[in-house]
Amino acid sequence: MAAAIVGTGSYLPQRAVSNRELEKIMDTTDEWIKSRTGIEQRHIAVEETTDSMSVEAAKRAMENAGATAEEIGLIIVGTVSGDMCFPSTACRVQSAIGAKKAVAFDINAACSGFLFGLILADNYIKAGQADTALVVGAETLSKMMDWDDRGTCVLFGDGAGAAVIKRKPEGILSYVQGSDGSRGDALFCQNRPVKNPFVDNKAAFSLDYAHMNGQEVFKFAVRTVPEAINEALGQAGMLPEQVKYFVLHQANIRIIEAIAKKLGQPIKKFPTNLQKCGNISAGSVPILLDEMNRKGELQKGDKIVLAGFGAGLTWGAAALVW
Ligand code: COA
């Protein structure tokens, strides 16, 4: 018995912002962004929130799967940009869709959030603790960017993707996960400082924004992700040649090209949407998966690899049969 993805959904904010538009508000160029990252535009939340996008993506995934709210026993949202510190985005999704029987919680694994959620759902299902799970990756990263930091803010976008996971004879075959907290400084955003009547902290409270050492993150991804993918493939008894698609976290086209080269696989097996979406952290993989699913690019029996990587540092790869 295994757990399989049986439906997908996604939501992107209405407002698309091109590189040319960014040229007007900061010292950057379309050429710099495109040549360094492949990104041409991103969607930015104006009316939307992490909650609203998660709920919409979840509803679309349930409709695609033919799943009812009553049958969902587990809701996991991977996010670092929830609307509330608490309750969790997952509890808000539960309430909005009326999944009364579900246990719901968020996980913070940054850009690996959807992969980690999927792996957790796989374990719940295999352990008999749930039959049907909803896994969402959702981010409103635009609110966490320092829009004066051109080296970081141009890379990210907002959106949400979701998948319904069910107990099935075949599905997720293997996975690999890893974390290296000692390298957390490469990509971080601080939460509230400790401030209470018992602390001598006169500093005015201000919210932090995302900080990134781009080159460190780049090196980490290119080294770690192919290793994780090869390990997951080895565990599944699968060769890279047998994989139809490698659906990777959409951080940067140069990272994806370098990973394809290391795996010795043609770039056409690595679908991308980063050109129009940018990096949506936990949302990247499920949004791309949903696009592919709705275009009919995923056929029953196809062998697929999913991989995520990002802040933590964290990484994960899963081999599955569609
Ligand atoms: N527009 C124009 N110039 C920019 C710029 C922008 N948006 N951002 C940075 N620059 C400038 C820098 O100021 C620097 O100028 P200088 O040489 O005069 O000092 C120059 O471009 C090179 O900067 P650098 O940071 O060395 O560029 P890079 O080649 O490393 O590319 C990244 C930067 C961020 C594109 C690259 O490191 C990268 O893709 N890293 C991975 C990031 C990532 O994917 N993070 C998320 C993972 S989940």
Side-chain angles (χ1 to χ4, degrees):
M1 205 42 83
I5 296 175
V6 296
T8 59
S10 61
Y11 180 88
L12 290 170
Q14 299 298 312
R15 179 74 160 94
V17 176
S18 67
N19 293 347
R20 293 262 181 235
E21 262 188 282
L22 293 184
E23 283 180 0
K24 293 183 193 145
I25 59 167
M26 67 185 74
D27 182 14
T28 190
T29 62
D30 175 51
E31 203 283 325
W32 191 97
I33 302 171
K34 264 200 311 226
S35 64
R36 295 294 209 292
T37 70
I39 297 165
E40 294 165 19
Q41 67 157 43
R42 70 288 295 139
H43 291 257
I44 299 289
V46 178
E47 301 287 334
E48 298 87 352
T49 65
T50 303
D51 278 352
S52 73
M53 295 189 290
S54 299
V55 169
E56 197 51 43
K59 285 182 177 168
R60 291 177 186 181
M62 286 161 62
E63 194 183 0
N64 186 246
T68 62
E70 292 71 40
E71 68 186 280
I72 292 172
L74 172 69
I75 301 174
I76 302 173
V77 179
T79 187
V80 295
S81 51
D83 299 340
M84 320 278 280
C85 286
F86 48 83
S88 65
T89 304
C91 282
R92 313 253 295 173
V93 170
Q94 177 197 22
S95 168
I97 65 174
K100 293 198 175 75
K101 292 186 200 138
V103 58
F105 54 87
D106 291 356
I107 54 168
N108 177 341
C111 305
S112 309
F114 178 77
L115 252 290
F116 280 28
L118 183 70
I119 291 165
L120 206 44
D122 179 65
N123 278 288
Y124 263 72
I125 289 171
K126 281 189 189 141
Q129 287 185 280
D131 290 323
T132 305
L134 179 64
V135 180
V136 180
E139 305 287 6
T140 314
L141 294 170
S142 58
K143 69 184 177 190
M144 313 192 66
M145 292 299 129
D146 174 355
W147 287 89
D148 290 325
D149 176 5
R150 63 180 183 168
T152 304
C153 69
V154 301
L155 306 182
F156 295 94
D158 301 333
V164 175
I165 326 293
K166 261 185 196 281
R167 185 185 302 277
K168 287 274 170 191
E170 203 176 36
I172 298 165
L173 301 173
S174 66
Y175 59 79
V176 169
Q177 287 178 278
S179 309
D180 182 358
S182 71
R183 290 193 283 163
D185 285 355
L187 186 50
F188 69 92
C189 177
Q190 290 189 55
N191 208 330
R192 295 161 180 243
V194 178
K195 199 160 164 62
N196 60 46
F198 312 100
V199 171
D200 184 19
N201 181 353
K202 303 274 186 300
F205 171 70
S206 69
L207 282 171
D208 193 26
Y209 293 104
H211 305 271
M212 182 179 71
N213 180 334
Q215 288 174 10
E216 276 306 305
V217 177
F218 196 102
K219 280 187 265 174
F220 145 70
V222 168
R223 193 166 42 235
T224 312
V225 178
E227 285 171 13
I229 290 176
N230 277 327
E231 207 181 320
L233 286 174
Q235 282 179 25
M238 213 191 270
L239 295 169
E241 291 69 31
Q242 295 174 294
V243 176
K244 185 170 176 192
Y245 291 119
F246 295 86
V247 182
L248 305 190
H249 171 48
Q250 300 290 294
N252 180 312
I253 195 68
R254 293 190 301 142
I255 292 179
I256 293 175
E257 284 166 356
I259 293 171
K261 200 167 165 206
K262 280 206 171 168
L263 292 170
Q265 293 301 298
I267 194 70
K268 65 175 194 297
K269 284 184 165 190
F270 293 75
T272 54
N273 67 2
L274 61 86
Q275 295 81 355
K276 63 184 177 63
C277 293
N279 177 344
I280 312 180
S281 190
S284 274
V285 169
I287 292 170
L288 178 55
L289 207 54
D290 183 48
E291 280 181 18
M292 296 170 69
N293 188 22
R294 281 168 200 271
K295 280 192 225 150
E297 290 172 357
L298 301 169
Q299 304 298 324
K300 193 170 162 41
D302 284 347
K303 295 182 169 65
I304 313 283
V305 164
L306 309 180
F309 52 91
L313 299 172
T314 57
W315 60 95
L320 54 93
V321 177
W322 193 255

